[in-house]
Amino acid sequence: MAVPSPAPDRTADRMQGRPRGSSSSQLVPPYENPEAKLRYQVYSRLQSTSVAIGESFPIPEIVAVGGQSDGKSSLLEAFLGFRFNVREVEMGTRRPLIVQMYHDPTAHEPRCRLQDEDGEEYGPAIIPETAVADAIMQRTQDHLQKLGGATVSSKPVVMKVEYAYCPNLTIIDTPGFILKAKNGEADRTPEDILSMVKAQAQPAHRLILFLQQSSVEWASSLWLNVVQEVDPTFQRTVFVASKFDNRLKEFAERWEVDKYLAATGYLPPKVRPFFVALPKDRSIQSSAEWRRQMSEVDASIFHHLKDNVKGGYDEERFGSRIGFNNLKRFLEEELARRYREAAPNTLAVLQDRVESASKELIKAEGELRAAVDVAAMRAAAMRFAHGVASTVDVLLAGSTDPDPAVHGLTTEEERVASRLPLWPGTPGPVVPPNAGLKLFGGAAFERCLHEFQEAAHALQFPATVATDRVANLLLAYKGRSSFMASNRAAEDIARHMAREVLGPLLDTASARLTFVLRRVFEIAADQSAAQGNSRQTLRPYVAFHASLRSAHQSFLTKLEESTRAMLRQTLESATSEFAVNMLASIPDVYPEEQSEYSHGEEEEGEANGGVSGAGGEGGQPTSHGSHMAARLPHSSASALGLGPGRHIDNSPSKRAPKASRYLAEARNNTAIQNGESYEEVIRRAEKLFKRIRFSVAQQSAPTTLKSAFLDPLKTRLGLEVALEIFARTDADFMAMFTAAAALAALQTKRDNMHKRAESLVRLKNEFQELSRVL
C-alpha cells in the first residue's frame, strides 16, 4: 500500500517565492475581487490613522531596508510605475516614508498627496509628479528643524498614491544605511540612522524587504548582521539582490548561475532571494517609457540566462524569483494573505483601544469640568495635601521607596546644603556614625542627633579661667559666709560656662534638624506629585504648589522658633542652682563619668583634629593640663573624709550626708587659706561642667528635640497646612487655580482625546463591516 506524501509547506513556498505550478500569465491578480480591495483600503486607512493619532497597531506592513546605494529608491519608483527623481534629492535618507499605493484604473495620471503632519487629512495632489521628491524633502527639513536640528526622525511621512499602473501595496521606505556622514551633518548621523531603521524593522508584524547589490557577495554584506539582529532566523525577511544585470556577464555555464541563485553556503538553506534589475537610464521622464523599459529589462534577463549561459538555468527552482514582476506579485500576495489572517486580531485590538480611549476621554472631560468647579478643586487639593502629610509621616518612620542615591545626603553634603557653619566650639569637623551614607527622613534626623551629641562631647572646659573672676566669686561668698564658698563658686562658674558653650550648640542643632525636615517635605511633595491621584489635575497650577510649599515652610519656621525656646528652657533647667547643686552633691563615682570622661578627655587630647564618634582606647579617661577626672571610689571617699566601710549613696536622688559635706567644705576653706583655692575651684567647676554637658547632650536635649519637632509634625502638620490653604473664601482659593495656560492645556487634551476616540470608533466600525462582508 502506497504511503501518501505529506502536503508541501505552502508558507515556506510563499516566503521564498517558489513556483506553484502556474505560469505568470495564468496567475490572477490578488486584488481583482471587491473583498480584497475593501480589505486593502481598510488596512491602509488604519495605517494612516495610526500615524496621525500616534497609535501603533500590529497590522501587516512591509519595511524596505538596505544601504544608501543598494537601489531602494529605484525599486520604490518601479512599484509606483512612474519616476519622481528621488535619487537626485535623496528624499528618503532622514525620515521613513510610508507609501500607500492604490490601484485605480481611472487614474491615468498619478495622484500623490501627503498626509498632514498632525492630522488624518491629506493635502492637495502634487502636480507634476516629478515635484513629489522636493515636497517630501522640504517637509523633512521643516520637521527636523522643529526638533531642534535633529539628524533623523522616526516619525514617518505618509504619501497616498492613486494610479492605474501601481499595485495595491504599502511599503515603508527607510533611510539608507551609511558609513560616514555627509559634509555639514553631525558625526553621529550614521548611528542615528542605524538605530532608527532597526526600530522600524523590529516589530514582528512587519515583513522586512532587504536589498543588496548583486555585485556584493552575501558573505561580505555590510548590513546583513543588522537584519539578523531584528530577525535572527530570517523568518520574515525577503532578500533581494538588486542590479542583477551587473552580475550576468560572470555566468558562462549553468552550474555557475544555479550556484549563485541558490546562495549556497552564504545564507541559510530556507532563504531564497529574489534577483531584480531595473533600467539604468536616469534621463527617462515619461512614465509610460519607464514601465516599458522595466518590462524590457525583465525580458532581457530571462533571454540572457536562456541563450547566453551554456545549459541555461534551473527554471523550475529559480524562475519565479527572477525579475521585478515576480517580486511585485509575491509581495502583493503575501501582504493580502497577512491581511486576511490579521483581521480578527486587529478588530480585537481596535475594540480594546476604543474602550481605553473612551475612558480617557471621560477622564479628560471630568478634569476640564473640575478645573472650574470650586468644590472639585478643593477636594483634589485636599487629597494632594493629605498625601504630602502622609508621605512625611512615612519618611520619618523609615522608608526605602525614594532612591537614597537621588534623595539622600551624606553628613558633609547635608552641612553644605544647609549653609550652616561648623558646630560652634568644636576643634574640627564632627564625623558621626554613618556619616558617609546618603540618608533622608527619619534616618537623617537620627544621624543629625548623633552628630550633635558628638559635637557636645567635643566641647572643652576653658583651659584657663580669669583669676579675678574666681576671686570675685570667692570673696563675695566668703564675705557672706565662708562656709562652702569654694563649692558655690565652682557651681557658678560651671553653670556660666555650660550656658555659654552649649547655647550656640543647641541653636545649631535646631537649625540643622529644621533643614532635615524641610528636605523631608521636598521629597514628600515630589513623591505625591509623581504618584498621587490628583497629580494630573493639579500639576499645571504653580500658584497652588507654591502656596502649599509656603504653608509647610511657615509651619517649620514656627516649629524651629518654639524648639529653640524649649531648648533654652531645657538648658536653663539643667544649669539651675538646684540642678547643679544636685550634680555637685553626687560623689565622684558619677555613673556616666567612666564612659563620658573616657570619651571626652581623649578627644581633648587631640591636637585640633577631627572629632570621631568612636570611644577612647579601653574606655579609660586621660588628663589634659590642669583638667582632672575623678575615677576611683576611694577618691571620693577620701575627699569627703570618710573612712573605710562607710556607705555612700551614689544615686542622683540622694545627697551625701550633710555632715560629710560640711566636713569637706571645712577642709576646702582651709585650702583657701593655704592659697590652693583657685586650682580647687577650677577643678570642681570642670567636673561639674562635664556632668552638665553629659546631662544635656545625652538626656534632656535629644528628648526635647524629638518631642518639639516630631510630635507636632505628626499631630499638627495636616491641620496647620489645611488652615493655611483652605480656610479661604472661594474667590481667594480659586485665585491659586486661574492659570489660563493650564485651562487651555486641558481643553487641548480633551479635544485630542475626542479626535482620537472618534478615529478609533470609525476604524472599528469599518473593520466590523469588513468582517461581515468577508
Side-chain angles (χ1 to χ4, degrees):
M1 180 177 179
V3 179
S5 59
D9 185 357
R10 298 302 183 190
T11 302
D13 288 346
R14 283 191 296 268
M15 280 297 297
Q16 307 309 332
R18 294 175 183 169
R20 293 154 65 180
S22 300
S23 65
S24 60
S25 62
Q26 295 173 328
L27 294 175
V28 179
Y31 291 99
E32 286 300 321
N33 61 83
E35 292 83 1
K37 288 183 178 179
L38 176 61
R39 186 186 299 113
Y40 177 77
Q41 291 171 0
V42 172
Y43 270 105
S44 296
R45 281 198 293 271
L46 176 60
Q47 186 179 51
S48 59
T49 301
S50 66
V51 173
I53 64 177
E55 290 280 353
S56 177
F57 295 97
I59 57 177
E61 295 170 320
I62 300 174
V63 55
V65 302
Q68 192 173 44
S69 59
D70 286 337
K72 286 193 301 86
S73 301
S74 297
L75 185 65
L76 180 61
E77 290 178 327
F79 282 120
L80 289 169
F82 65 91
R83 304 290 303 278
F84 53 95
N85 298 328
V86 61
R87 292 183 59 191
E88 279 72 5
V89 297
E90 296 181 347
M91 64 92 188
T93 58
R94 297 302 175 260
R95 288 179 71 182
L97 173 66
I98 298 179
V99 182
Q100 298 175 332
M101 308 175 209
Y102 290 85
H103 175 66
D104 183 357
T106 65
H108 299 291
E109 295 294 332
R111 294 193 296 267
C112 304
R113 294 182 296 165
L114 297 180
Q115 185 181 14
D116 295 340
E117 289 279 25
D118 300 315
E120 300 179 44
E121 301 299 324
Y122 289 86
I126 301 174
I127 301 174
E129 65 270 18
T130 54
V132 168
D134 292 327
I136 294 173
M137 187 65 179
Q138 185 61 47
R139 176 164 291 195
T140 299
Q141 291 177 348
D142 295 342
H143 177 69
L144 294 179
Q145 287 179 358
K146 289 181 180 179
L147 298 180
T151 56
V152 298
S153 172
S154 60
K155 184 177 182 181
V157 177
V158 180
M159 182 172 71
K160 182 177 181 179
V161 180
E162 299 168 304
Y163 195 30
Y165 301 100
C166 73
N168 286 299
L169 191 66
T170 298
I171 293 181
I172 303 175
D173 184 30
T174 61
F177 299 123
I178 58 176
L179 295 174
K180 185 178 180 181
K182 297 188 302 183
N183 291 334
E185 290 185 331
D187 293 338
R188 68 177 187 276
T189 301
E191 290 77 15
D192 291 344
I193 292 176
L194 181 64
S195 177
M196 190 262 283
V197 174
K198 287 170 65 176
Q200 292 290 323
Q202 187 71 47
H205 59 270
R206 286 183 173 172
L207 192 67
I208 303 173
L209 187 65
F210 175 50
L211 275 75
Q212 181 175 279
Q213 295 186 46
S214 61
S215 57
V216 178
E217 299 295 343
W218 295 111
S220 304
S221 174
L222 292 174
W223 313 114
L224 182 61
N225 63 318
V226 177
V227 176
Q228 195 167 15
E229 287 181 19
V230 296
D231 184 21
T233 60
F234 303 124
Q235 290 296 312
R236 54 188 180 90
T237 302
V238 178
F239 288 80
V240 178
S242 60
K243 305 179 182 180
F244 183 48
D245 49 342
N246 294 338
R247 194 69 184 257
L248 291 177
K249 58 186 178 181
E250 299 180 12
F251 306 131
E253 298 185 9
R254 174 169 177 158
W255 70 269
E256 294 176 328
V257 67
D258 286 351
K259 179 180 179 181
Y260 173 77
L261 295 177
T264 305
Y266 300 122
L267 298 176
K270 291 185 178 181
V271 175
R272 303 170 84 73
F274 284 87
F275 302 89
V276 174
L278 296 171
K280 292 184 172 62
D281 187 1
R282 301 303 304 175
S283 63
I284 300 174
Q285 295 295 329
S286 169
S287 297
E289 179 63 18
W290 170 247
R291 294 191 298 275
R292 186 187 65 79
Q293 288 203 18
M294 283 195 298
S295 299
E296 289 183 355
V297 170
D298 269 5
S300 66
I301 290 176
F302 285 107
H303 174 74
H304 182 91
L305 291 174
K306 289 179 180 179
D307 299 341
N308 297 343
V309 175
K310 184 178 180 180
Y313 72 104
D314 191 341
E315 263 186 88
E316 182 68 20
R317 291 180 61 193
F318 307 118
S320 63
R321 294 184 289 112
I322 298 174
F324 168 75
N325 285 327
N326 280 329
L327 173 62
K328 180 177 72 172
R329 181 169 297 280
F330 165 76
L331 292 178
E332 283 186 286
E333 292 177 348
E334 184 65 22
L335 194 61
R337 180 186 68 82
R338 289 172 176 254
Y339 280 162
R340 288 194 302 271
E341 295 176 354
N345 181 57
T346 303
L347 179 58
V349 172
L350 275 171
Q351 289 174 341
D352 291 340
R353 298 288 177 86
V354 167
E355 293 177 1
S356 176
S358 299
K359 293 178 182 179
E360 292 180 7
L361 178 59
I362 293 173
K363 181 180 178 182
E365 290 176 343
E367 290 176 352
L368 185 59
R369 289 193 300 269
V372 294
D373 186 347
V374 176
M377 294 305 296
R378 282 185 180 274
M382 286 181 179
R383 286 194 298 270
F384 186 85
H386 176 72
V388 173
S390 299
T391 306
V392 168
D393 288 341
V394 171
L395 294 176
L396 289 176
S399 174
T400 59
D401 185 19
D403 186 2
V406 177
H407 297 284
L409 295 177
T410 65
T411 296
E412 180 60 22
E413 291 172 345
E414 185 178 283
R415 187 193 66 78
V416 173
S418 67
R419 298 182 179 180
L420 293 173
L422 294 175
W423 294 97
T426 57
V430 178
V431 185
N434 304 312
L437 299 181
K438 289 183 174 291
L439 303 181
F440 60 84
F445 190 93
E446 288 296 327
R447 183 179 63 185
C448 190
L449 279 180
H450 292 159
E451 186 180 356
F452 157 72
Q453 291 174 327
E454 296 292 339
H457 285 304
L459 296 177
Q460 301 177 9
F461 189 82
T464 58
V465 178
T467 305
D468 52 359
R469 175 181 292 185
V470 177
N472 273 288
L473 289 172
L474 280 175
L475 292 175
Y477 287 132
K478 188 175 181 181
R480 294 196 299 269
S481 174
S482 62
F483 194 64
M484 299 180 66
S486 62
N487 280 353
R488 296 183 62 185
E491 291 176 6
D492 282 357
I493 293 174
R495 291 165 56 195
H496 175 77
M497 292 301 175
R499 290 173 182 173
E500 186 176 294
V501 299
L502 288 176
L505 199 71
L506 292 172
D507 290 342
T508 302
S510 179
R512 280 285 299 276
L513 290 173
T514 301
F515 172 77
V516 170
L517 296 177
R518 291 184 192 277
R519 291 201 67 252
V520 171
F521 165 73
E522 299 290 343
I523 298 172
D526 291 344
Q527 291 289 104
S528 299
Q531 302 174 2
N533 296 328
S534 305
R535 64 185 186 279
Q536 295 295 339
T537 304
L538 301 176
R539 179 174 295 174
Y541 300 108
V542 178
F544 165 73
H545 292 287
S547 298
L548 183 63
R549 183 184 301 273
S550 176
H552 281 85
Q553 301 299 334
S554 175
F555 177 75
L556 287 176
T557 299
K558 295 176 183 177
L559 211 58
E560 182 183 5
E561 292 175 357
S562 64
T563 301
R564 286 188 181 221
M566 293 177 66
L567 288 173
R568 288 293 182 180
Q569 184 177 359
T570 298
L571 183 59
E572 289 293 330
S573 298
T575 57
S576 65
E577 183 175 354
F578 176 77
V580 174
N581 187 261
M582 287 189 64
L583 291 174
S585 65
I586 299 174
D588 288 350
V589 187
Y590 189 56
E592 53 88 14
E593 287 179 353
Q594 289 287 336
S595 59
E596 199 269 343
Y597 288 173
S598 66
H599 179 82
E601 295 289 350
E602 191 162 308
E603 289 167 352
E604 292 170 4
E606 297 177 1
N608 297 327
V611 181
S612 172
E617 181 178 354
Q620 297 298 324
T622 58
S623 59
H624 174 68
S626 64
H627 299 173
M628 301 175 62
R631 292 178 291 169
L632 301 177
H634 71 80
S635 299
S636 60
S638 60
L640 295 173
L642 301 177
R646 290 292 301 272
H647 172 70
I648 300 175
D649 189 349
N650 291 329
S651 62
S653 62
K654 301 292 183 179
R655 296 194 179 194
K658 182 180 293 187
S660 301
R661 297 204 313 272
Y662 287 165
L663 180 60
E665 183 61 27
R667 294 183 178 179
N668 290 335
N669 290 336
T670 303
I672 294 174
Q673 296 174 0
N674 295 333
E676 299 177 356
S677 59
Y678 177 83
E679 289 77 5
E680 179 67 16
V681 169
I682 295 301
R683 185 188 68 80
R684 293 186 181 185
E686 181 179 5
K687 183 186 299 184
L688 285 174
F689 170 81
K690 292 179 179 179
R691 293 182 177 184
I692 296 171
R693 181 184 66 183
F694 179 87
S695 174
V696 172
Q698 296 294 335
Q699 297 171 351
S700 56
T703 302
T704 301
L705 286 168
K706 289 182 179 180
S707 62
F709 275 123
L710 300 183
D711 290 347
L713 279 174
K714 187 174 183 179
T715 59
R716 290 167 39 205
L717 175 62
L719 178 61
E720 295 280 349
V721 171
L723 290 174
E724 181 76 18
I725 297 295
F726 303 109
R728 308 182 182 190
T729 63
D730 288 346
D732 290 341
F733 179 79
M734 291 304 291
M736 296 185 292
F737 303 94
T738 56
L743 189 61
L746 289 175
Q747 291 174 338
T748 301
K749 178 182 177 181
R750 190 273 313 271
D751 294 342
N752 291 337
M753 291 305 305
H754 187 268
K755 180 181 177 181
R756 175 172 174 262
E758 282 188 338
S759 299
L760 291 173
V761 169
R762 184 171 61 251
L763 287 171
K764 187 194 74 169
N765 294 337
E766 289 181 356
F767 261 87
Q768 286 178 336
E769 182 65 25
L770 176 64
S771 63
R772 284 193 291 267
V773 171
L774 302 180

